[in-house]
Amino acid sequence: MLSQSVYTLVNQQNGNLSFKVFEFDNSSYFDHIQRNNYFTIIIITSGEGLAKVDLCEYSFKENTLFAFYPYQPFMLASEGPLTGISIQFHHDFFCIYRHHKEIAANGILFNNVYQQPFILLDENNKQTLMNIVREIVNELKMDALRKDEVLVSYLKIFLVFATRIKLEQQSIKNENSNDKQLLIIQNLRNAIEDNFRIKHSASEYADMLHGNTSCSCASCKKSF
């Protein structure tokens, strides 16, 4: 595990927290509803309990990775001791939505109302992710040039690996019409989030999605 509990990076321009990694050894950090203004990743290394996310409940155990987007309500109620690692980062430090084409995390790891907000880690996957966490911590310890850029690079690698694991576990089958419909809806939501200030008609979003207006309208009605 980590030799110290908390490592942080502060935005020098406004004094706000940009990036944080911390180790927890009890459930008090997350045993009440969270609505954080930053992304939160939690790796449970030991313990089990019940996760309440949005309006759903999920049982969890050790070697579970949770991924929550900003202001998503969640809490973890453990049935005993709970230990793990949490990574938290502000969207000004690293914006998932801006980089989702690079890492494919938006709509898969984060911000997908149709999928459970966690993945299960086998020992190899756990060790891979924890090794990246250790490199992140080592960088946070240093007083070095362009630390923020190095941390972003490590964070990207972490998110790519976590996204790969989730994709494997979802076993997405593109030939399934229901899966295709969910993908259309998610892509539509992403397009709206990125362009709602400048695009307002269904036809504009249909053109962006390379579909037809009636299909996008139907998806839009299902989404909102």
Side-chain angles (χ1 to χ4, degrees):
M1 301 297 283
L2 308 181
S3 59
Q4 181 178 320
S5 295
V6 182
Y7 297 88
T8 61
L9 180 69
V10 175
N11 186 319
Q12 297 300 318
Q13 294 182 337
N14 56 30
N16 293 333
L17 186 67
S18 294
F19 191 85
K20 179 179 180 180
V21 179
F22 70 93
E23 180 180 12
F24 58 90
D25 57 7
N26 62 76
S27 62
S28 63
Y29 294 93
F30 306 112
D31 65 357
H32 52 286
I33 292 295
Q34 312 278 306
R35 288 187 176 88
N36 304 318
N37 66 340
Y38 41 76
F39 293 92
T40 299
I41 296 171
I42 301 170
I43 300 177
I44 304 296
T45 54
S46 69
E48 58 184 22
L50 188 69
K52 299 181 180 180
V53 186
D54 297 317
L55 300 177
C56 301
E57 294 185 349
Y58 307 92
S59 297
F60 70 87
K61 57 183 180 179
E62 66 181 11
N63 298 338
T64 298
L65 182 151
F66 288 96
F68 303 112
Y69 56 85
Y71 302 106
Q72 183 177 19
F74 73 91
M75 66 175 288
L76 305 179
S78 68
E79 299 172 357
L82 191 69
T83 65
I85 298 292
S86 181
I87 299 173
Q88 299 173 336
F89 57 96
H90 197 273
H91 64 82
D92 287 341
F93 176 74
F94 184 79
C95 182
I96 291 290
Y97 311 115
R98 187 180 306 130
H99 295 280
H100 70 89
K101 289 184 179 179
E102 297 176 59
I103 61 176
N106 186 36
I108 299 175
L109 195 61
F110 297 97
N111 199 29
N112 191 330
V113 297
Y114 305 104
Q115 298 289 339
Q116 59 193 23
F118 63 88
I119 55 178
L120 303 178
L121 304 175
D122 61 26
E123 195 58 33
N124 288 335
N125 288 333
K126 176 184 174 182
Q127 288 305 316
T128 296
L129 294 177
M130 292 302 291
N131 286 338
I132 300 172
V133 172
R134 291 187 183 94
E135 293 299 326
I136 289 173
V137 169
N138 289 336
E139 186 65 27
L140 284 167
K141 289 179 181 178
M142 299 174 61
D143 183 15
L145 179 68
R146 304 309 299 168
K147 179 188 297 188
D148 54 342
E149 293 185 6
V150 176
L151 289 172
V152 165
S153 297
Y154 280 131
L155 181 59
K156 281 184 180 181
I157 295 170
F158 183 99
L159 294 175
V160 167
F161 273 105
T163 301
R164 286 180 182 176
I165 296 168
K166 189 163 189 178
L167 282 173
E168 290 174 3
Q169 293 184 8
Q170 286 177 350
S171 298
I172 295 176
K173 297 179 180 179
N174 290 329
E175 65 271 15
N176 185 296
S177 60
N178 289 330
D179 288 342
K180 287 183 178 179
Q181 184 65 29
L182 294 182
L183 183 61
I184 290 171
I185 293 171
Q186 187 61 48
N187 287 340
L188 176 61
R189 292 175 68 89
N190 292 341
I192 292 173
E193 287 176 357
D194 292 341
N195 301 278
F196 69 93
R197 292 184 179 88
I198 57 175
K199 296 184 183 297
H200 307 287
S201 70
S203 60
E204 289 178 303
Y205 288 102
D207 290 339
M208 291 180 63
L209 298 176
H210 304 290
N212 57 65
T213 304
S214 59
C215 177
S216 293
C217 286
S219 297
C220 187
K221 289 178 181 177
K222 284 190 175 184
S223 299
F224 301 99

